[in-house]
Amino acid sequence: MLSQINQNTQLTHMPFLCRNDRGEKVLFYCASDDCETPCWRLHYITGEGESKRLETGFEHGAIECSPTAWQDECGWHISFISNGIANGLNYRLYRMDGETLETLSQPISLRKARTGFVYKDRIVVGEIQDVVHVHDTTGDHKIVVPGAFLYRVSYQADSIDKLFISGDWIGENEDVFTLEYDLETDSQRFIECDGRPAYKCTILDNEILYAHRDGSGFECRTIRRVQENQSIPCRIAERDQDALAEVGLKVSKQCGCRRSEHERKTDAVRPGCLECVEKHLDAACAILSEVQSGYAFRLRFVGHLYEAQDESQEWPTLCDAIRHARKEYQHSNVTPDWERLAQIIDEVRHAR
């Protein structure tokens, strides 16, 4: 596997190992031919076969990274992070589904995210700093890694409760790490390979692959197989009920923006939903009164504004107004102009 992919490209990273329904190992990874300004694209290799492009349909120049995958009786299910367009700054969590890896659906946008994945009923999203949000059938939780910038959140395909959280420490961008966090037992360990942190690693059975730094650039890396590894038990991360649970981590919806199967196959971006915008703004308005009364609900308030902004991207004027209101509050505690926001929503509704 590795000899083939590292011969065909200059840079490789973000490996993810799993098995197909025939028991063969399948390696998903990102590759780039450009060491100066890497443009990562998704690839995969089955067993000892040839490396193949995992087609997304995104234009040349769009970045695709952090793949995860599983196969069941319905076929393959892929999730990944992408900005969708060349030089785009709006990174989102996407998924594709299909009977085979050659017949996947168009990418479906799930939510804004720089790191994260989907596995069945579990959706995991990492913030840029410190916090990983987990939503699944057991509830909503957050895992806090104090003082960390987070670059990837993945999991172990044959032990799905084990999360791999990769990043570096604030102010120490040469000091990378991968923390394994077990959702079932809360046990934690740092993973090291060949005497160095196993950055953006993947583990399947006894095999460990990680992204080894080969050049001067931070992401000038190639995937390597570990010759020797060790783990360092730790208790650095803290787990708690997620105060942002109600702001929309859930994959499915019961509102008017829930899409049909045909729409999921043909529309690569989630449509806007005015009902959801109003719902989140209404919740934010109610929570703000609690904040002003002294209750510690500031994060919930900001979270609802963020979700209203996310749901309103189809209407730039409304989206910009909500974003401005959120930033004004975060920076200066300025109360949003609720009447103005309601007026813009009314204008959007009558223009549809």
Side-chain angles (χ1 to χ4, degrees):
M1 275 188 180
L2 297 189
S3 60
Q4 292 180 6
I5 65 173
N6 287 332
Q7 284 176 0
N8 295 336
T9 57
Q10 292 178 302
L11 300 177
T12 54
H13 81 154
M14 289 200 176
F16 182 82
L17 280 171
C18 63
R19 292 189 183 276
N20 62 19
D21 56 8
R22 298 187 298 276
E24 299 172 299
K25 283 185 180 179
V26 184
L27 171 63
F28 296 86
Y29 66 99
C30 307
S32 175
D33 292 322
D34 189 347
C35 290
E36 295 298 323
T37 54
C39 181
W40 302 103
R41 307 289 270 174
L42 299 181
H43 295 75
Y44 70 96
I45 182 168
T46 301
E48 298 303 321
E50 295 293 323
S51 175
K52 297 181 179 179
R53 174 85 167 91
L54 191 68
E55 296 293 345
T56 64
F58 288 152
E59 66 182 63
H60 180 74
I63 293 174
E64 306 161 355
C65 61
S66 200
T68 66
W70 82 93
Q71 188 180 24
D72 59 19
E73 64 277 6
C74 297
W76 279 99
H77 311 277
I78 314 294
S79 72
F80 64 99
I81 301 292
S82 177
N83 57 359
I85 59 174
N87 301 318
L89 300 177
N90 187 17
Y91 285 83
R92 303 186 69 89
L93 175 62
Y94 290 86
R95 71 176 295 166
M96 300 186 295
D97 307 275
E99 291 185 7
T100 70
L101 292 174
E102 292 77 21
T103 59
L104 295 170
S105 65
Q106 293 184 13
I108 300 300
S109 171
L110 298 178
R111 61 172 289 116
K112 284 185 177 180
R114 294 300 295 261
T115 62
F117 66 86
V118 176
Y119 177 79
K120 296 187 178 180
D121 292 328
R122 174 177 293 164
I123 181 169
V124 177
V125 174
E127 297 183 11
I128 293 177
Q129 184 177 329
D130 295 345
V131 182
V132 176
H133 301 281
V134 181
H135 167 80
D136 58 22
T137 55
T138 66
D140 299 285
H141 306 276
K142 64 179 179 181
I143 299 166
V144 181
V145 187
F149 282 132
L150 306 182
Y151 299 144
R152 188 190 190 189
V153 182
S154 183
Y155 66 96
Q156 185 169 332
D158 57 354
S159 185
I160 61 172
D161 286 325
K162 292 181 178 178
L163 300 185
F164 298 129
I165 304 170
S166 292
D168 65 20
W169 304 109
I170 297 173
E172 303 289 340
N173 62 1
E174 302 296 315
D175 189 13
V176 298
F177 67 86
T178 290
L179 174 69
E180 179 190 279
Y181 186 95
D182 193 314
L183 290 171
E184 185 175 15
T185 66
D186 290 328
S187 63
Q188 307 170 35
R189 61 172 183 149
F190 287 114
I191 304 175
E192 294 193 351
C193 302
D194 303 331
R196 58 178 63 87
Y199 185 58
K200 295 180 178 178
C201 70
T202 183
I203 301 177
L204 186 67
D205 300 328
N206 296 321
E207 183 172 12
I208 304 178
L209 306 178
Y210 72 103
H212 172 74
R213 184 169 176 176
D214 289 328
S216 57
F218 182 71
E219 295 294 8
C220 288
R221 300 178 184 270
T222 55
I223 298 172
R224 289 193 180 181
R225 179 177 287 108
V226 174
Q227 301 300 318
E228 135 183 1
N229 70 88
Q230 64 172 326
S231 61
I232 304 172
C234 63
R235 293 296 299 176
I236 192 167
E238 301 174 355
R239 181 176 178 176
D240 199 358
Q241 184 175 358
D242 196 349
L244 298 182
E246 60 191 71
V247 305
L249 275 179
K250 301 172 178 60
V251 177
S252 62
K253 296 190 172 186
Q254 302 302 322
C255 62
C257 65
R258 186 183 179 96
R259 290 175 297 175
S260 68
E261 182 177 355
H262 173 71
E263 290 170 323
R264 289 197 300 270
K265 290 180 179 179
T266 58
D267 185 8
V269 180
R270 186 179 71 185
C273 176
L274 277 181
E275 289 78 11
C276 285
V277 173
E278 289 181 311
K279 174 186 69 178
H280 287 296
L281 290 179
D282 182 62
C285 185
I287 290 173
L288 182 58
S289 65
E290 299 294 312
V291 174
Q292 293 169 339
S293 298
Y295 291 94
F297 294 158
R298 177 183 173 89
L299 285 178
R300 292 189 183 186
F301 172 73
V302 173
H304 277 292
L305 287 182
Y306 178 88
E307 284 301 311
Q309 174 189 328
D310 194 33
E311 290 282 1
S312 65
Q313 292 180 81
E314 187 175 331
W315 308 285
T317 300
L318 176 58
C319 185
D320 288 345
I322 298 173
R323 179 177 181 274
H324 177 75
R326 175 179 61 80
K327 292 177 72 68
E328 281 285 286
Y329 180 81
Q330 287 182 284
H331 294 163
S332 307
N333 286 327
V334 176
T335 299
D337 186 341
W338 303 115
E339 291 188 7
R340 174 58 181 156
L341 292 176
Q343 179 184 348
I344 298 174
I345 290 174
D346 218 32
E347 291 171 355
V348 168
R349 179 174 288 111
H350 285 95
R352 287 196 295 180

